[in-house]
Amino acid sequence: GHYTINLVVRDRDETILGTGTTSIQVRDRWIVALGDSYCSGEGNPDIPEDAEGRRAVWMNDRCHRSSSSWASRLSDRVHRSDPSSPVIFSFLCCTGASVEQGVLRSTPQQPIPQMAVVEQIANKFELRPDLVLLSVGGNDIGYAEILHALGNGHETTLFGTMHLRFMFASQQLDQLATRLSSLRPRRVLFPHYFDPSRDEHGNFDASCQDLQHIGSSNLRHAEEMILRRLNRMISAKCVENGWTHVDVSSVFQKAGICSRHSRIRTMADSKRLEGSTLGAFHPTAEAHAEIARLLWTAGH
């Protein structure tokens, strides 16, 4: 609400030395982040694993949420833009989550689904989100399974299943949109998924260790038949629901996993930073900072 602040300065004898009055407008801003490892910040622990074997430290260990993620960085930037108005940040993104498993329904990782948490907050405090950040669809089409299939020579079978995968993902996004609409969010930002396949010249490159078992030809087909299609679907859902999609291709167009200027975590990076390969094929902290910048621009 609107507040008037009065200040009176007195010395030890209670003599008034000065007075001042100002008015401020305070409005809590509620930011919600829903989705998968892309928005949780997987691959970027807050404190990396060290040489003595001490485990990596995260904002949330179970979901590998990181303060380096674009969602967390954007929330911080919103707060810095107006320090007098507090930001409530419901950071619910979780590695491995899909719309079906984690966002709308419970999993062992998230016993209370992400949307259920948001709905409980909205109902208890009679709030509507000022900003919802989404990162969903990748796991709904089976991103991890796709990488595995491409690496094991099953691309023919894989590409033959894509129509069903996308039909399922589309239905899941529609269900999410219905649940979100009841919360009446003021703004929804939905960044596109990223392309990990380009070298420093912007060409497809599968020459490095993490991609050489996939091959450049399969990379090109995956980009055309999967990544582009996924991002087109995201754009279409944004148009249907009044959300804003954000193109992040500029962040990765010459910075894929085999690039000399890579902004993608390799398997070696992931093992060094968090002691497992879970963080491989995810954006670096530098990339997250750039994505946050693009989202900030899109939101203004």
Side-chain angles (χ1 to χ4, degrees):
H2 188 81
Y3 295 86
T4 299
I5 300 174
N6 298 302
L7 176 67
V8 179
V9 183
R10 295 181 174 88
D11 65 13
R12 292 179 179 178
D13 299 325
E14 294 297 312
T15 302
I16 295 177
L17 301 178
T19 62
T21 301
T22 190
S23 297
I24 63 170
Q25 180 74 30
V26 176
R27 185 177 71 84
D28 293 345
R29 289 169 294 176
W30 183 22
I31 300 176
V32 174
L34 303 172
D36 52 28
S37 57
Y38 180 25
C39 68
S40 75
E42 180 64 80
N44 301 281
D46 291 276
I47 303 176
E49 183 170 289
D50 63 21
E52 278 92 46
R54 282 187 283 265
R55 293 181 59 194
V57 176
W58 304 83
M59 290 178 72
N60 177 278
D61 185 66
R62 180 183 291 179
C63 286
H64 282 196
R65 295 184 192 122
S66 169
S67 60
S68 295
S69 69
W70 54 260
S72 182
R73 287 175 183 269
L74 183 62
S75 173
D76 289 343
R77 184 160 184 178
V78 171
H79 174 66
R80 291 196 306 271
S81 71
D82 183 8
S84 67
S85 293
V87 171
I88 299 101
F89 183 36
S90 299
F91 189 13
L92 302 170
C93 306
C94 193
T95 290
S98 64
V99 175
E100 182 183 41
Q101 299 293 323
V103 178
L104 296 185
R105 297 179 180 84
S106 64
T107 66
Q109 272 181 295
Q110 295 189 290
I112 304 177
Q114 296 176 27
M115 272 301 299
V117 173
V118 178
E119 289 165 345
Q120 288 174 13
I121 295 171
N123 293 332
K124 183 173 182 178
F125 298 103
E126 297 182 350
L127 294 173
R128 57 185 290 199
D130 293 280
L131 175 62
V132 174
L133 306 172
L134 290 181
S135 171
V136 287
N139 288 334
D140 296 275
I141 64 168
Y143 177 71
E145 184 185 350
I146 287 169
L147 285 178
H148 181 76
L150 288 174
N152 287 278
H154 300 152
E155 59 274 5
T156 302
T157 303
L158 169 68
F159 292 137
T161 66
M162 293 316 300
H163 177 70
L164 289 176
R165 290 173 184 266
F166 275 97
M167 185 169 65
F168 173 76
S170 178
Q171 292 171 347
Q172 295 302 304
L173 286 174
D174 288 341
Q175 290 184 34
L176 176 58
T178 299
R179 292 278 291 276
L180 268 180
S181 66
S182 66
L183 298 175
R184 300 181 300 114
R186 291 182 171 86
R187 193 74 184 269
V188 178
L189 295 180
F190 199 157
H192 282 172
Y193 280 89
F194 56 93
D195 181 2
S197 65
R198 307 291 180 138
D199 65 14
E200 63 273 15
H201 305 294
N203 300 318
F204 290 102
D205 187 354
S207 64
C208 61
Q209 184 174 358
D210 288 339
L211 289 182
Q212 60 186 5
H213 60 295
I214 293 178
S216 294
S217 177
N218 281 337
L219 273 185
R220 184 176 290 105
H221 286 142
E223 193 270 343
E224 293 173 354
M225 299 177 64
I226 301 172
L227 181 66
R228 288 190 196 177
R229 186 173 177 181
L230 176 58
N231 286 334
R232 284 198 301 269
M233 181 177 70
I234 288 171
S235 296
K237 297 300 181 185
C238 286
V239 171
E240 289 173 15
N241 295 287
W243 305 340
T244 302
H245 66 269
V246 181
D247 181 1
V248 301
S249 58
S250 61
V251 180
F252 302 95
Q253 61 186 358
K254 294 184 179 180
I257 200 165
C258 293
S259 170
R260 293 180 183 177
H261 314 297
S262 177
R263 287 177 166 175
I264 304 290
R265 293 289 184 216
T266 64
M267 290 190 183
D269 290 336
S270 183
K271 288 178 181 177
R272 172 176 54 84
L273 293 169
E274 58 182 86
S276 75
T277 58
L278 271 178
F281 295 95
H282 288 85
T284 63
E286 177 189 11
H288 278 280
E290 286 299 302
I291 294 168
R293 181 183 61 79
L294 292 173
L295 288 168
W296 171 261
T297 302
H300 286 77

